[in-house]
């Protein structure tokens, strides 16, 4: 399977349900469009209309007048681990996947509702470059030419740029603002013994800890997410330095508009029990951690002279000393923080209503289609190397998707605290973890418990000894 060459990512076949036959077809094959269509047929979606112009495979999930958020992974505009024009293929959701899901969403909406394609990339992402390099601009052009309204949106409230050793934060004026939601005692950070020690790399630690203290467990959620009736989750599966892997559950981090609400690790060492930033009680690691805390406070106030002085002091304190610690910033298998953030956000996605209030009943549907035509291995999520898996993975439950995904990657789900906790949360997963897998590969059609490995993905460095 290969990504298509057509600039608009159109199908090459005149499928009877395709809504844009008058706009022409691709002159070259589109394996992605064909495969997604075949997947829907294999699943028996709208079976009675298969093969005719009325076929509406997403009708089970999308109704007229729905607001549909299509949530790709647009993490960054560049991948320093891969040189050349294909640097994004293992980094972000390919636009051919997005194109196909937009088309079938339009069929399901019958000219009603709204379609928003959106994500919150990392703060250093140049969104204009990402749109140009990935073909998002061409998708926008296609639908504009067809007089069809589809929004392509950057959900961030801030972006950043690096100047030398300094990081400068710049405000954005997003199409959709962010609503502060508080999930209180339903958060995995509620009654957390590590309060005050939560950290995000390059952010003032005092801010994130203000948002996660006692019954205050807050996230800043994009209004594009809250207004949605259905979310089509389109992750780019990769190995991940902090979480081990990224799939359906992790991709929901991108519905948060302000990163300073997202704990990524906990200050301190695993051995001492104080945190998960690094493993051993290393004096050098403690110094580096303390220096980073002070630098982040200075830079949050644009006091760059002060941050430079603190860096120089830190460099002097560790000068000539050897640090045996091989982990840092929670980028290893002992990270006991990031999974809590991920599951909190998935709870938000399912149970926070359009006004920002947590409800008992599920508020929106979520379906997931993972782009593993070329996935990512090694130092994901920002510097993965390509792993050609020639696969697409679909599930209508995020936990089930990830259970299958990690085995497809060649890992045991028992190794990930994220999945161990998710399976036990009946608000996130109320099914049988040993469900049957449908596939066009006969050797993959089996119960999940029998599906032990599809491929062999190279883990991130901090997970290598643990996963292998």
């Amino acid at each position: 399977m290969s990504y298509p060459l057509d600039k608009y990512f159109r199908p090459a076949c005149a499928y009877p349900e395709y809504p844009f036959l008058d706009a022409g077809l691709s002159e070259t094959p589109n394996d992605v469009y064909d495969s997604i269509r075949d997947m829907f047929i294999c699943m028996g979606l709208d079976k009675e209309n298969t093969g005719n112009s009325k076929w509406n495979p997403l009708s089970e999930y999308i109704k007229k007048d729905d607001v549909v958020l299509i949530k790709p992974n647009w993490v960054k505009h560049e991948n320093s681990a891969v040189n050349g024009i294909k640097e994004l293929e293992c980094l972000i959701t390919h636009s051919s996947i997005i194109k196909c899901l937009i088309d079938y969403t339009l069929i399901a909406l019958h000219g009603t509702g709204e379609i928003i394609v959106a994500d919150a990339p990392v703060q250093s992402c140049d969104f204009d470059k990402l749109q140009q390099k990935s073909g998002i601009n061409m998708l926008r052009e296609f639908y504009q030419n067809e007089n069809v309204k589809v929004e392509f949106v950057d959900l961030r409230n801030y972006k950043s740029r690096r100047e030398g050793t300094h990081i400068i934060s710049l405000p954005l004026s997003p199409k959709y603002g962010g609503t502060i939601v508080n999930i209180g005692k339903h958060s995995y950070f509620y009654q957390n013994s590590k309060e005050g020690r939560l950290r995000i790399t390059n952010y003032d630690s005092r801010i994130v800890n203000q948002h996660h203290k006692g019954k205050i467990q807050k996230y800043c959620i994009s209004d594009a997410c809250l207004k949605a009736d259905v979310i089509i989750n389109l992750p780019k599966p990769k190995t991940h330095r902090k979480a081990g892997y990224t799939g359906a559950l992790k991709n929901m981090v991108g519905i948060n508009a302000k990163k300073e609400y997202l704990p990524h690790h906990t200050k301190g060492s695993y051995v001492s029990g104080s945190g998960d930033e690094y493993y051993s009680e290393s004096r050098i690691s403690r110094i580096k951690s303390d220096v980073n805390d002070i630098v982040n406070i200075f830079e949050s106030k644009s006091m760059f002279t002060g941050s430079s002085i603190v860096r120089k002091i830190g460099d002097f304190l560790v000068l000539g000393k050897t640090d045996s610690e091989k982990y840092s910033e929670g980028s290893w298998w002992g990270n006991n923080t990031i999974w809590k953030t991920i599951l909190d956000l998935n709870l938000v996605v399912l149970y926070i209503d359009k006004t920002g209030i947590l409800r008992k009943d599920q508020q929106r549907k979520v379906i997931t289609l993972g782009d593993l035509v070329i996935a990512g291995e090694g130092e994901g999520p920002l510097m993965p190397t390509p792993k050609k898996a020639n696969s697409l993975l679909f599930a209508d439950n995020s936990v089930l998707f990830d259970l299958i995904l990690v085995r497809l990657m060649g890992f045991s789900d028992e190794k990930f605290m994220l999945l161990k906790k998710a399976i036990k949360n009946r608000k996130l997963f109320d099914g049988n973890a040993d469900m049957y897998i449908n596939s066009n590969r006969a050797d993959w059609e089996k119960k999940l418990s029998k599906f032990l490995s599809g491929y062999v993905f190279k883990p991130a460095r901090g997970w290598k000894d643990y996963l292998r």
Side-chain angles (χ1 to χ4, degrees):
M1 188 188 304
S2 300
Y3 293 122
L5 300 177
D6 183 72
K7 69 176 183 177
Y8 292 131
F9 312 107
R10 298 169 297 182
C13 300
Y15 295 125
E17 76 279 1
Y18 181 58
F20 303 108
L21 288 172
D22 292 342
L25 300 170
S26 172
E27 296 180 358
T28 55
N30 188 333
D31 297 342
V32 167
Y33 212 105
D34 298 343
S35 296
I36 293 175
R37 188 177 185 274
D38 289 345
M39 176 182 284
F40 290 160
I41 293 172
C42 180
M43 293 169 60
L45 298 179
D46 194 23
K47 186 175 182 179
E48 60 271 23
N49 288 312
T50 303
N52 67 51
S53 61
K54 294 182 180 180
W55 190 50
N56 181 4
L58 296 184
S59 59
E60 180 178 335
Y61 307 105
I62 300 171
K63 309 302 179 186
K64 287 184 178 180
D65 298 314
D66 276 349
V67 175
V68 180
L69 172 64
I70 296 179
K71 168 64 180 70
N73 184 338
W74 284 339
V75 60
K76 201 175 181 183
H77 66 283
E78 61 184 357
N79 179 4
S80 59
V82 181
N83 296 319
I85 61 173
K86 294 186 177 182
E87 63 178 309
L88 300 185
E89 286 189 341
C90 64
L91 184 70
I92 66 172
T93 307
H94 199 272
S95 292
S96 61
I97 306 282
I98 300 171
K99 159 68 174 167
C100 186
L101 270 296
I102 290 175
D103 289 350
Y104 282 108
T105 299
L106 288 168
I107 292 171
L109 289 174
H110 295 286
T112 68
E114 297 180 46
I115 298 178
I116 306 165
V117 185
D119 189 22
V122 296
Q123 302 298 84
S124 59
C125 175
D126 185 322
F127 195 66
D128 290 336
K129 288 183 179 179
L130 184 145
Q131 293 183 91
Q132 189 275 324
K133 293 166 70 173
S134 67
I136 298 167
N137 282 341
M138 301 311 297
L139 285 181
R140 181 184 286 106
E141 179 180 292
F142 176 86
Y143 292 109
Q144 286 177 345
N145 290 343
E146 297 303 312
N147 295 313
V148 174
K149 184 180 179 181
V150 178
E151 295 182 285
F152 297 86
V153 184
D154 179 356
L155 298 181
R156 297 173 300 175
N157 281 19
Y158 294 90
K159 65 178 180 179
S160 66
R161 72 170 185 264
R162 181 176 289 277
E163 293 188 1
T165 59
H166 306 306
I167 296 175
I168 299 174
S169 182
L170 304 167
L172 295 172
S173 299
K175 162 88 176 181
Y176 295 97
T179 296
I180 308 301
V181 304
N182 182 19
I183 60 173
K185 65 180 182 180
H186 299 283
S187 170
Y188 280 93
F189 290 106
Y190 179 63
Q191 295 184 334
N192 176 27
S193 62
K194 307 295 192 301
E195 276 189 1
R197 304 184 68 83
L198 301 177
R199 295 293 186 268
I200 314 170
T201 304
N202 298 327
Y203 283 80
D204 184 342
S205 61
R206 299 173 301 176
I207 298 176
V208 65
N209 285 287
Q210 288 173 1
H211 302 318
H212 296 279
K213 185 176 182 180
K215 292 184 179 180
I216 298 174
Q217 301 294 337
K218 295 180 177 179
Y219 295 93
C220 181
I221 305 303
S222 172
D223 293 335
C225 173
L226 295 185
K227 72 181 294 190
D229 301 291
V230 181
I231 296 178
I232 300 178
N233 190 9
L234 303 180
K236 168 65 77 172
K238 296 171 286 211
T239 50
H240 193 285
R241 295 177 67 200
K242 295 186 188 298
Y245 79 98
T246 174
L249 293 167
K250 175 65 174 62
N251 200 42
M252 283 306 166
V253 172
I255 55 98
N256 196 89
K258 294 183 178 180
K259 191 173 180 180
E260 58 266 34
Y261 286 77
L262 305 176
H264 276 54
H265 64 270
T266 302
K267 183 180 177 69
S269 76
Y270 181 87
V271 169
S272 69
S274 61
D276 56 24
E277 188 175 8
Y278 44 88
Y279 179 80
S280 63
E281 269 296 280
S282 163
R283 179 174 176 272
I284 296 176
S285 291
R286 289 201 306 272
I287 291 172
K288 290 178 178 178
S289 177
D290 292 342
V291 167
N292 286 335
D293 281 350
I294 299 170
V295 165
N296 291 338
I297 292 172
F298 274 120
E299 297 208 339
S300 70
K301 299 178 179 297
S302 298
M303 298 171 64
F304 301 118
T305 300
S307 65
S308 293
I309 293 172
V310 172
R311 279 197 178 93
K312 289 178 181 178
I313 293 172
D315 290 342
F316 174 78
L317 291 175
V318 300
L319 184 66
K321 297 180 174 64
T322 301
D323 189 2
S324 60
E325 177 58 52
K326 59 182 179 179
Y327 305 127
S328 64
E329 297 179 354
S331 296
W332 65 300
W333 58 266
N335 188 314
N336 195 39
T337 305
I338 191 66
W339 67 265
K340 298 173 184 174
T341 298
I342 294 169
L343 292 187
D344 275 5
L345 288 170
N346 278 269
L347 184 73
V348 166
V349 164
L350 292 176
Y351 293 97
I352 293 287
D353 70 14
K354 296 186 179 186
T355 68
I357 304 299
L358 185 68
R359 302 296 184 184
K360 291 183 179 180
D361 298 324
Q362 188 169 322
Q363 299 297 299
R364 54 190 61 82
K365 300 173 186 175
V366 177
I367 60 175
T368 302
L369 195 152
D371 173 13
L372 288 101
V373 178
I374 298 178
E377 63 180 358
E379 299 307 300
L382 299 181
M383 295 185 295
T385 52
K387 179 70 174 182
K388 191 166 180 60
N390 291 316
S391 304
L392 298 168
L393 176 59
F394 179 91
D396 56 12
N397 177 274
S398 297
V399 180
L400 179 60
F401 179 96
D402 281 14
L403 283 170
I404 299 171
L405 173 64
V406 294
R407 295 198 178 197
L408 187 65
M409 299 171 85
F411 305 136
S412 167
D413 52 83
E414 288 292 321
K415 292 285 190 174
F416 300 97
M417 186 64 72
L418 173 62
L419 285 173
K420 291 169 71 173
K421 294 293 185 180
I423 291 171
K424 295 178 180 179
N425 189 326
R426 287 294 168 257
K427 283 188 170 293
L428 299 177
F429 184 70
D430 60 358
N432 181 353
D434 199 16
M435 291 183 178
Y436 194 82
I437 299 171
N438 290 316
S439 175
N440 61 342
R441 279 188 54 166
D443 58 326
W444 286 3
E445 284 222 325
K446 58 185 68 176
K447 284 188 175 182
L448 179 60
S449 62
K450 304 295 184 182
F451 185 76
L452 301 180
S453 179
Y455 300 99
V456 179
F457 275 59
K458 177 184 177 183
R461 283 191 298 269
W463 290 74
K464 183 178 179 180
D465 295 338
Y466 179 70
L467 292 177
R468 292 281 180 251

